[in-house]
Amino acid sequence: MNKVITLHNPPVNALSFKYSEKILKEIQDAENDATVTSVTITGANGFFSAGVDVNDFQKVWDPSGTTVRDIIEAIERSDKIFIAAIDGIALGGALELALACDRRVATPRSKLGLPEIKLGLIPGAGGTQRLPRLIAPQEALSMMLKGETVSADRALELGLIDEIVEDLSSFLAEGAERRSPEQCRRRRVSEMNVQLPATAQAFALPYIIAEAHKTVPPEESGGLAAHKLIDAVQAAFELPFARGLAREYRLFDELVASTPSLALRHLFFAERELSKIPGLPPAEPLEIKTAGVIGGGTMGTGIAITFANAGIPVTIVEPNADQIGKSRQTIFGMFMHQVKRGRMTQEEAWKRGQSIAFSDDYSAVADCDLVIEAVFENMAVKKEVFGKLDPIVKTGAILASNTSTLDIDEMAAVTKRPGQFLGLHFFAPANIMKLLEIVRGKETSAQTLATAFKLAKQLRKVAVLSANAFGFIGNRMFFEYTREAVALAEEGVPPARIDAAMKKFGMAMGPFATFDLSGIDVFWHVAQGRPDLELARTPILDRLYEQKRLGQKTGKGFYKYAEGSREAVRDEEIEELFAELAKAAGVKQNPDVSDDEIARRIVGALIKSGEEILRDGVALRPGDIDIVWIYGYGFPPYRGGPMFYSQEELAHA
Ligand code: NAI
């Protein structure tokens, strides 16, 4: 007789310690029942299982609790035939459970993967030992290093599953008697040998290992888990199963307690907290079926593409005909690029392009459910825009500003709908950057906020709530971060060295390269509006602005750029200018600082600003700040964001 064991632990059938105990008991019962010849493990509610509960990884993997390892060991000890019948996702520990079975079948819509690397871990229930035995070893390694899921079709091609079944319920009802002898054969992956690649030579496996180490970042720069994963797979190549498994367990247990994994798990949980707003009454979000964007410049165009990509038709209102032409060209160019790279069909590109309309008349957005303003960063201009828009746009629709620094309440006050008013701060390029700051005005309603969070999901953005305060979360901290970088340059450290030190720390880009990318004029304008804000101790920004050294767009900024090139070239003129201004301002020179000291000072300024933001209630939680810096400013995820990093530093100080 075949016994069916169903993983049923809503919402995603996670294999928590507690739930694993129940499954283990069911397997033991089957083992003790002589009438049972085979056991089929399946899922429920459209999922096989999302794997081990990430909550159970916190800090240490409790050796006294029942884990998926115990379930797998019970399967290994048993003489019965085990079948995994997968429908929906089978991830991490759940796929490892399936790998321990004799056969695996999956429905066409299933997705299978070992994503542990994304949390700075490796599969820790035999995955690194079984997968390279079951499928081509280089495919196994690549699948685990990327942590991506594969479709049922691809899984069949790889040999990860034995069969695709259209109708899982009739498969489950079939019973052991009706299966063919081949289907009932014992076929434990742990007893298989790693297969050499087809073109194999004796050195093929060591070669795969050596090459793999070269393709991942160094251990100290986010590559720790990747190198350990390769070590574990090497054990699968070289050692008997039991010894390889012991090595995997040891490497996994080390990684669970490692800082990069703690950092990535912190971000995993922080992301899930983002939309929880203490004290906010529950509200039903509105559905945004159509959107309007005012201003077809850099941001307006990017925002429109984001909506088109999410299947929401959008209308751009732009008074300048030349700018409409440029915006159209950007949109067309972007979609064509996707077609060329095989990411989109010609038809899809055409359809998305057609879903973006242009007008020079505000009445074109009268019926939209949401209108986002992205005109010049100037309060008078923005107020004029909202003053005109408010009477035209239908009642109940939401109005939003994409301002980077200005007061949302001041804008809301010129409308008759402050409850349906908020800031939606996208980051450049808006169609690529994942971060969206949702800025809550003093009268923004619960429903407007709920709508914004739901919309962010549809737009595939990560949304963080900010109070209405200068620079919100990200830019206020960014000003402090760049101010410290400029201070170091004023003390005689070349900007190129400062950038190199910050990249070494793990930032995607150094602060001066970021200045040049965003445009020095942007910062200069901010400084004009906020004379109280100290962006530098010397008039360096004024001088660059006067000299039209605005960054990449003028071919010169803190670096120089060859015509049409984005490659930043060190410019000694800048170092001389810093020296001259520092001398005039009496700034003490101290050019001999170490890379660590550079990073310590700049990140220190960032952390201090983050603490102020928390104290002032601009951000809800330290984790929210971390998410802003990871998704908006290229802070290294393996350091967990500035606030997590500061706690870790304190712990090790
Ligand atoms: P931009 O100068 O590229 O575009 C502004 C556009 O608005 C221009 O095409 C202009 O013709 C149009 N415009 C001006 N007055 C208008 C009016 N009354 N009605 C309709 N259109 C009008 O500026 P960008 O960079 O796109 O910035 C727009 C807003 O987004 C600003 O508030 C800026 O602070 C904010 N922002 C900018 C970011 C960036 O990195 N560029 C990042 C995030 C926010």
Side-chain angles (χ1 to χ4, degrees):
M1 181 187 89
N2 177 59
K3 172 173 171 165
V4 175
I5 294 181
T6 306
L7 306 175
H8 181 66
N9 183 25
V12 288
N13 311 331
L15 299 166
S16 60
F17 285 177
K18 218 166 138 231
Y19 193 65
S20 295
E21 210 174 299
K22 181 166 174 286
I23 297 300
L24 181 62
K25 171 90 179 33
E26 285 194 46
I27 288 177
Q28 284 160 346
D29 288 349
E31 183 61 22
N32 297 334
D33 183 342
T35 65
V36 172
T37 53
S38 70
V39 178
T40 304
I41 303 177
T42 193
N45 301 332
F47 299 101
F48 182 69
S49 158
V52 174
D53 190 333
V54 184
N55 280 299
D56 287 351
F57 290 140
Q58 282 319 74
K59 287 285 176 194
V60 267
W61 174 256
D62 176 5
S64 63
T66 302
T67 71
V68 70
R69 286 179 184 169
D70 301 303
I71 300 177
I72 289 173
E73 278 163 20
I75 294 175
E76 283 286 344
R77 279 194 303 270
S78 169
D79 288 332
K80 307 191 194 244
I81 302 293
F82 281 81
I83 300 150
I86 298 167
D87 177 38
I89 53 166
L91 301 179
L95 183 57
E96 294 181 282
L97 171 61
L99 285 170
C101 295
D102 300 281
R103 262 170 73 69
R104 284 150 295 279
V105 305
T107 59
R109 66 181 201 102
S110 298
K111 293 220 176 302
L112 301 84
L114 294 171
E116 288 81 352
I117 194 100
K118 295 190 172 167
L119 294 177
L121 297 169
I122 62 173
T128 67
Q129 304 304 298
R130 288 191 180 87
L131 195 63
R133 284 178 158 80
L134 183 63
I135 71 174
Q138 66 274 47
E139 297 285 1
L141 188 55
S142 145
M143 194 173 144
M144 289 187 280
L145 276 177
K146 287 190 193 137
E148 283 166 4
T149 57
V150 295
S151 66
D153 279 343
R154 178 76 183 133
L156 186 66
E157 218 172 81
L158 289 169
L160 177 54
I161 59 171
D162 302 286
E163 190 185 336
I164 293 184
V165 290
E166 297 285 339
D167 181 358
L168 200 70
S169 37
S170 54
F171 176 85
L172 293 173
E174 226 170 39
E177 322 67 48
R178 306 244 304 277
R179 294 193 182 137
S180 68
E182 167 59 22
Q183 287 171 343
C184 297
R185 200 161 58 88
R186 205 182 133 93
R187 200 168 155 266
R188 293 287 147 89
V189 179
S190 56
E191 291 161 11
M192 297 176 185
N193 292 321
V194 174
Q195 303 149 35
L196 280 174
T199 55
Q201 316 201 349
F203 57 80
L205 294 178
Y207 179 74
I208 292 174
I209 293 295
E211 282 303 298
H213 278 295
K214 286 190 215 154
T215 61
V216 298
E219 286 200 358
E220 64 284 6
S221 311
L224 183 66
H227 287 286
K228 300 289 178 211
L229 177 62
I230 301 166
D231 290 348
V233 171
Q234 183 173 10
F237 291 178
E238 294 173 355
L239 301 177
F241 182 80
R243 284 182 54 206
L245 190 66
R247 174 153 322 161
E248 178 202 89
Y249 283 10
R250 183 173 56 72
L251 291 171
F252 176 89
D253 293 352
E254 274 170 33
L255 285 170
V256 168
S258 72
T259 302
S261 177
L262 287 169
L264 292 166
R265 273 140 57 202
H266 155 72
L267 292 170
F268 175 88
F269 289 114
E271 205 169 321
R272 272 147 196 84
E273 287 289 300
L274 292 172
S275 60
K276 294 185 191 148
I277 306 168
L280 194 75
E284 192 56 35
L286 299 170
E287 202 185 325
I288 304 297
K289 294 201 198 86
T290 55
V293 175
I294 311 296
T298 313
M299 291 308 288
T301 304
I303 294 170
I305 295 172
T306 308
F307 277 87
N309 282 341
I312 302 175
V314 56
T315 301
I316 299 180
V317 178
E318 167 63 57
N320 179 336
D322 282 353
Q323 187 57 39
I324 292 188
K326 275 193 210 154
S327 175
R328 268 214 176 96
Q329 234 171 0
T330 306
I331 293 166
F332 180 76
M334 206 280 311
F335 286 136
M336 281 344 283
H337 180 72
Q338 302 285 344
V339 173
K340 255 195 223 141
R341 304 201 54 179
R343 295 203 193 126
M344 203 184 278
T345 63
Q346 192 90 34
E347 293 74 25
E348 186 57 35
W350 171 253
K351 214 175 95 197
R352 290 195 199 180
Q354 289 299 303
S355 69
I356 305 178
F358 285 88
S359 174
D360 59 2
D361 184 354
Y362 285 22
S363 61
V365 296
D367 292 326
C368 290
D369 302 310
L370 164 74
V371 181
I372 304 173
E373 163 280 312
V375 305
F376 304 130
E377 184 78 346
N378 175 306
M379 183 55 94
V381 178
K382 293 200 191 267
K383 276 171 141 173
E384 192 192 321
V385 168
F386 285 115
K388 273 204 245 164
L389 261 183
D390 187 46
I392 295 176
V393 177
K394 71 178 178 191
T395 315
I398 296 175
L399 298 183
S401 172
N402 180 49
T403 179
S404 336
T405 52
L406 300 175
D407 185 347
I408 292 294
D409 290 331
E410 199 176 334
M411 293 178 224
V414 304
T415 73
K416 293 201 171 63
R417 60 180 102 196
Q420 284 79 48
F421 198 101
L422 81 170
L424 289 179
H425 184 212
F426 289 84
F427 286 70
N431 53 310
I432 293 173
M433 295 297 284
K434 296 261 301 178
L435 182 65
L436 175 69
E437 279 181 329
I438 295 180
V439 186
R440 179 183 193 177
K442 65 175 185 289
E443 294 193 50
T444 308
S445 73
Q447 185 177 52
T448 302
L449 290 176
T451 306
F453 274 103
K454 183 178 161 208
L455 173 71
K457 252 199 194 133
Q458 276 175 282
L459 300 179
R460 282 182 230 108
K461 300 287 178 204
V462 177
V464 179
L465 188 76
S466 170
N468 176 36
F470 173 77
F472 313 126
I473 299 173
N475 280 343
R476 172 158 159 200
M477 290 173 73
F478 187 68
F479 290 133
E480 294 303 310
Y481 169 82
T482 47
R483 191 183 49 72
E484 194 60 28
V486 170
L488 277 157
E490 287 166 338
E491 288 164 29
V493 189
R497 244 209 86 200
I498 298 172
D499 275 4
M502 293 314 292
K503 279 188 79 168
K504 192 168 141 198
F505 174 81
M507 295 300 294
M509 203 184 237
F512 292 101
T514 312
F515 260 121
D516 278 3
L517 180 69
S518 312
I520 284 149
D521 49 329
V522 174
F523 293 85
W524 186 84
H525 279 293
V526 171
Q528 300 315 295
R530 288 291 305 253
D532 57 316
L533 193 78
E534 190 197 56
L535 292 180
R537 291 179 288 180
T538 71
I540 182 80
L541 292 181
D542 290 336
R543 291 292 282 273
L544 293 182
Y545 188 77
E546 283 158 19
Q547 292 176 14
K548 296 241 168 338
R549 292 191 70 126
L550 304 183
Q552 284 190 15
K553 58 181 146 190
T554 55
K556 266 183 177 186
F558 284 108
Y559 291 95
K560 52 188 176 189
Y561 301 85
E563 179 90 37
S565 163
R566 284 166 173 266
E567 197 198 331
V569 180
R570 181 173 173 171
D571 188 351
E572 271 151 25
E573 271 180 35
I574 276 292
E575 289 159 35
E576 285 158 20
L577 181 61
F578 267 118
E580 178 201 319
L581 296 177
K583 195 166 173 209
V587 178
K588 210 170 134 237
Q589 297 296 286
N590 178 28
D592 297 324
V593 289
S594 66
D595 286 356
D596 284 351
E597 178 63 8
I598 293 173
R600 199 191 58 75
R601 272 184 58 183
I602 296 181
V603 177
L606 190 59
I607 293 166
K608 186 162 161 282
S609 166
E611 284 162 356
E612 283 165 16
I613 279 176
L614 280 174
R615 188 198 61 208
D616 297 350
V618 176
L620 287 172
R621 294 157 286 245
D624 289 32
I625 295 179
D626 288 336
I627 294 286
V628 165
W629 273 77
I630 298 293
Y631 286 112
Y633 298 85
F635 197 93
Y638 60 87
R639 294 199 194 273
M643 306 322 280
F644 178 86
Y645 179 73
S646 74
Q647 293 308 308
E648 277 295 308
E649 283 290 280
L650 274 183
H652 293 111

